[in-house]
Every structure is written in C-alpha cells, then in structure tokens.
C-alpha cells in the first residue's frame, strides 16, 4: 500500500525508509535507519525528482503510481547518480517508457556506466540556471559538483521557492511519520546523526559545500527537500548555519574529544587522568572514545564538532595501534582543519606511535599539534602525572582563549 506525504498543493514525498540496513554504504552504522527521499511534482507535466535505493523500491513505486493516478510520468530529474538515489532509474524507464530524463552532461556517462537503457534518445540536458517550465512551476538547476559526487546538481523550484538539495541537508535516520523537521525535535533527536552523516559522507568536500551555500544564499528558499531525512520549511537558517560551520571546518563547540586505544588499560588510564585534569580546569565538554569500541564515524563526527582532539595510542608492531591508525587515516581522508591536536603515546620498549601519529596529522591543513607528546613506558608513573597536567593546562588555556 502507498505511504505518501503531501508537502504542498503540487508536491508529494514518495520516498521510503529502511530500518533493516545495518551499514549505510556498507560502512556507517545506522541504528536509526535511513530514508531515501524522492518527490513528485504534479503540474501540467508530471515530474519525479530522483528515485530511491533498491531496498525500498516496492514502496517507492506504489507511492509514485498512487500520486500519478491515471497520468503518465513525463520527466524524471536526476540530481545525483549514487545508487541510493538512482538504483531504480532503469525500472522507472521500464514502467514509463516515454519518460524523459532531465540531467546535466556529467550525469549521462554515469547513467551509461550503471545501466544499459538508451539514455541518448530520452535525455534533456540542462545547464547551470537553465529554466525548465512544467506548467505552473518553473524549475532551474544549480550545479553542485562533489556534494557529493561530480555530477551532483540541485533543483530549485522558482515558483514555490523549494530547493531539492540532493545529499546536502540530508541525515541518517528513518522518517517516523513526521516528515518535516519542524514536527520533530531536530536538535535533540537528529542533529547528532545529521552531523555524522555530513562529516563522514561530504566532510572532505568543504570547499564545494561552501560554494553551493554561496550560490544558495542568492536565492529565496522556503522549503528544502533533501534526499535523506526531514524536509525543512521553518528555521532553515539554523541548519544552514551548521552547514557553514561544517563546510568551513569551524568548530561548533569549544570542547575536547579524547580518542584512545588501549590494549591492557594503561593508555586508557592516562586518558582518564587527562580528562579528569581537564575537568578540574573547568572544561565541561569532554567526550572520550575507545577506538576499538566506538565506530570511527562517531569519532570523526565529534572531531568536526569540537575544537580540540587528543589521540592516545600504544605502539604496536613498531607503529600505531591498528584501530588508531585506521582512525587517523580516516581523519586525514576527511580533511579536517582548524583543530588543535594533542598526543599521548605508550610503548614498553620502543614508543614510536606519537611520532607516527604526528606525521599523519601533519597532512591536515591549518592544524596545531601541541609540541609535547606525553610518553608512557607501559603505565602512568609519577613523572607522567606532571606531563599530563601540563597537557591539560595547554588544552584548557586553548579552550578558554
Ligand atoms: Fe545519498 Fe551521495 O548519496
């Protein structure tokens, strides 16, 4: 049976949620599920904006067919070719053989790579700010390369001031009845997943996100329809402000993430002592993560949120303990900037993890790495207590500055 949400007189949400999938992109845990949003605009011409992941295709087609009723589908706009939104494109063509595919020039080769249907005979190529009239509505298109793939564009309905924003302004989390962000407590219940989604999926492409935000700032936006998560029609500026922070790698909060690896608990002990010393100095926002227990996507997300990141790791196989090394590669791959890092290393006979962590972090732009690495020889002794206290002094001073 169909499960459709009406957004306004002409626009319908025809997406669906997946609460079974354990790992989004086969890597990111999504305990709250995920929605794949698609939209149908009912005008003199009928327009489908994007499709969905294969996993929810049955629900999606029931929804689209219900909204169309006895009308045919005239156009499908492809804003993004990643299969979580385009996997069912071939089935759309099969069901509505006369449908035209509206997309930009970068999208066509991707369609050919993923599918075998004849795109050349049905494509309507659009360019930046080209106008596309469907009757009462006039749509236009804004290219958004690398937010999150090179072919990405967003579609703007100039009539209703609705932005179909592709992956931008999306979030992990299934839609639980309430489609609109103003119907839920987004800051309490969704922001964490929105940040984890943004930072892990798009975090590397801050410059491109800022370019899109600059273009978006020139147009009036009343509604934002992303490809994942709630639709925005109120307080959009609050969410845009989050995007400005994330896209520009500006910390949201003056706080500390302590990510530690510990084999027998001794490095963890140092991390706990450091956290306690920071608390003594009045630092309120301290989050600790065992890199062998917490998923890297959680730590990446928190590292984007706060101003200071402490990494504590034993030496292992003459290098960095493996889970910490993986986290570091992930951090560097996501291009985090404008942070202060501090390091704690441990080694029973040859501690080298600190230097190796430092080398990896040196690949990050606009980053400060505190000069003094605290070195443990197996476990914390009195000599290290003063070093940890000095590290806490430096971090606390940075936070208060
Ligand atoms: Fe939700 Fe880049 O796809």
């Amino acid at each position: 049976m169909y499960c459709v949400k009406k957004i306004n007189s002409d626009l319908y949400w025809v997406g669906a949620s997946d609460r079974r999938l354990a790992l989004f992109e086969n890597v990111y845990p999504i305990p709250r599920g995920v929605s794949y949003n698609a939209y149908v605009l009912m005008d003199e011409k009928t327009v489908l904006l994007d499709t969905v992941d294969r996993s929810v295709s049955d629900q999606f087609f029931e929804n689209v067919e219900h909204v169309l009723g006895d009308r045919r589908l005239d156009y499908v706009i492809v804003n993004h070719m990643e299969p979580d939104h385009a996997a069912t494109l071939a089935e759309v063509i099969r069901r509505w053989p006369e449908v035209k595919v509206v997309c930009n020039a970068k999208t066509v080769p991707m369609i050919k790579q993923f599918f075998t249907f004849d795109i050349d005979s049905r494509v309507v190529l659009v360019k930046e700010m080209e106008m596309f009239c469907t009757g009462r509505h006039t749509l236009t298109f804004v290219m958004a390369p690398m937010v999150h793939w090179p072919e990405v564009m967003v579609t703007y309905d100039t009539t209703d001031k609705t932005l179909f924003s592709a992956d931008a302004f999306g979030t992990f989390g299934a839609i639980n009845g309430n489609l609109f962000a103003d119907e839920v407590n987004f800051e309490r219940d969704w922001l964490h997943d929105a940040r984890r989604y943004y930072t892990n999926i798009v975090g590397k492409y801050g410059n491109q996100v800022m370019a899109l935000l600059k273009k978006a700032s020139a147009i009036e936006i009343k509604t934002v329809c992303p490809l994942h998560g709630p639709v925005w029609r109120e307080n959009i500026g609050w969410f845009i402000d989050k995007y400005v922070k994330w896209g520009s790698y500006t910390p949201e909060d003056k706080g500390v993430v302590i990510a530690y690896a510990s084999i027998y608990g001794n490095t963890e002990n140092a991390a706990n002592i450091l956290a306690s010393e920071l608390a003594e100095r009045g630092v309120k926002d301290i989050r600790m993560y065992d890199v062998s227990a917490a998923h890297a996507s959680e730590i990446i997300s928190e590292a984007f949120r706060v101003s200071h990141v402490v990494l504590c790791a034993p030496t292992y196989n003459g290098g960095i303990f493996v889970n910490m090394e993986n986290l570091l590669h992930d951090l560097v791959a996501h291009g985090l900037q404008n942070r202060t890092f501090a390091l704690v290393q441990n080694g029973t006979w040859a501690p080298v993890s600190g230097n190796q962590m430092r080398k990896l972090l040196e690949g990050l732009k606009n980053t400060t790495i505190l000069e003094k690495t605290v070195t443990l020889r197996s476990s914390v002794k009195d000599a290290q207590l003063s070093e940890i206290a000095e590290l806490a002094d430096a971090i606390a001073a940075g936070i208060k500055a």
Side-chain angles (χ1 to χ4, degrees):
M1 178 56 74
Y2 63 86
C3 182
V4 164
K5 299 290 269 188
K6 192 167 187 173
I7 294 174
N8 60 36
S9 58
D10 299 339
L11 185 64
Y12 298 82
W13 177 82
V14 292
S17 291
D18 187 348
R19 297 180 187 82
R20 290 186 172 192
L21 185 68
L23 299 174
F24 184 79
E25 291 188 358
N26 217 5
V27 60
Y28 304 113
I30 45 168
R32 296 176 59 248
V34 65
S35 77
Y36 304 105
N37 299 341
Y39 304 90
V40 169
L41 182 66
M42 296 293 284
D43 202 354
E44 288 173 25
K45 297 291 183 187
T46 61
V47 184
L48 171 64
L49 292 114
D50 293 293
T51 73
V52 295
D53 188 81
R54 199 184 304 279
S55 62
V56 295
S57 63
D58 284 357
Q59 181 70 72
F60 165 71
F61 282 112
E62 290 221 37
N63 291 350
V64 176
E65 281 173 1
H66 170 73
V67 171
L68 289 176
D70 55 8
R71 297 183 64 184
R72 71 175 194 191
L73 182 64
D74 295 308
Y75 297 105
V76 54
I77 296 176
V78 180
N79 284 309
H80 185 14
M81 265 307 291
E82 193 166 6
D84 55 334
H85 310 294
T88 39
L89 185 59
E91 179 61 16
V92 168
I93 308 296
R94 198 187 67 75
R95 290 185 187 224
W96 294 282
E98 293 171 3
V99 69
K100 300 274 186 204
V101 177
V102 180
C103 64
N104 64 66
K106 283 187 191 162
T107 309
V108 175
M110 288 192 184
I111 290 177
K112 290 178 179 174
Q113 285 167 209
F114 278 106
F115 301 110
T116 54
F117 66 78
D118 175 21
I119 179 65
D120 293 325
S121 64
R122 64 177 71 248
V123 71
V124 178
L125 280 179
V126 292
K127 294 189 178 130
E128 178 91 4
M129 296 310 280
E130 189 168 326
M131 294 295 169
F132 183 78
C133 185
T134 61
R136 194 174 81 80
H137 296 259
T138 299
L139 309 179
T140 190
F141 309 93
V142 177
M143 302 304 133
M146 300 318 295
V147 187
H148 128 244
W149 279 17
E151 88 299 354
V152 171
M153 65 181 192
V154 299
T155 299
Y156 178 62
D157 180 345
T158 63
T159 309
D160 284 349
K161 319 286 185 212
T162 299
L163 182 69
F164 297 91
S165 60
D167 275 340
F169 304 109
T171 173
F172 296 136
I175 295 295
N176 300 316
N178 293 303
L179 177 63
F180 298 100
D182 54 274
E183 295 175 329
V184 298
N185 189 331
F186 193 90
E187 186 164 12
R188 185 191 68 194
D189 299 332
W190 286 81
L191 177 59
H192 174 82
D193 260 340
R195 184 187 298 109
R196 196 165 62 88
Y197 167 86
Y198 173 88
T199 53
N200 285 281
I201 307 285
V202 198
K204 177 183 174 66
Y205 305 111
N207 290 343
Q208 292 85 345
V209 169
M210 294 305 284
L212 175 62
L213 291 175
K214 192 172 172 201
K215 289 182 189 178
S217 69
I219 54 177
E220 183 188 1
I221 299 171
K222 288 188 177 162
T223 308
V224 176
C225 294
L227 287 175
H228 302 284
V231 167
W232 288 78
R233 59 186 178 184
E234 289 179 16
N235 210 11
I236 297 169
W238 176 86
F239 203 26
I240 290 176
D241 185 55
K242 292 289 177 199
Y243 261 68
V244 170
K245 289 224 165 67
W246 298 338
S248 61
Y249 304 98
T250 305
E252 282 168 81
D253 300 309
K254 292 265 191 181
V256 186
V257 162
I258 303 176
Y260 64 87
S262 196
I263 305 164
Y264 296 107
N266 292 302
T267 312
E268 180 181 24
N269 180 228
N272 275 319
I273 293 168
L274 174 63
S276 179
E277 291 287 334
L278 287 167
E280 290 293 321
R281 287 157 179 76
V283 180
K284 303 268 189 235
D285 187 347
I286 307 166
R287 303 273 173 94
M288 299 184 67
Y289 296 93
D290 182 329
V291 297
S292 299
H295 194 269
S297 65
E298 290 282 347
I299 306 172
I300 298 280
S301 175
E302 281 297 289
F304 268 73
R305 183 180 68 80
V306 299
S307 53
H308 289 67
V309 181
V310 183
L311 303 174
C312 316
T315 301
Y316 202 72
N317 289 329
I320 308 164
F321 184 80
V322 58
N323 295 42
M324 179 62 81
E325 187 172 20
N326 290 343
L327 174 68
L328 271 158
H329 284 301
D330 219 358
L331 264 177
V332 172
H334 283 86
L336 184 62
Q337 301 181 28
N338 302 320
R339 296 301 187 277
T340 299
F341 284 91
L343 300 170
V344 176
Q345 66 175 346
N346 197 349
T348 295
W349 62 94
V352 296
S353 51
N355 261 345
Q356 295 193 19
M357 289 194 286
R358 186 176 294 273
K359 280 205 181 81
L360 287 173
L361 290 172
E362 281 168 358
L364 295 176
K365 289 183 195 160
N366 306 322
T367 293
T368 302
I369 311 169
L370 296 184
E371 202 176 323
K372 174 85 180 154
T373 298
V374 174
T375 298
L376 313 181
R377 290 276 185 172
S378 306
S379 65
V380 179
K381 293 286 187 291
D382 286 344
Q384 280 87 46
L385 285 180
S386 57
E387 288 184 28
I388 292 171
E390 279 171 30
L391 195 60
D393 282 338
I395 294 169
I399 283 182
K400 284 176 190 151

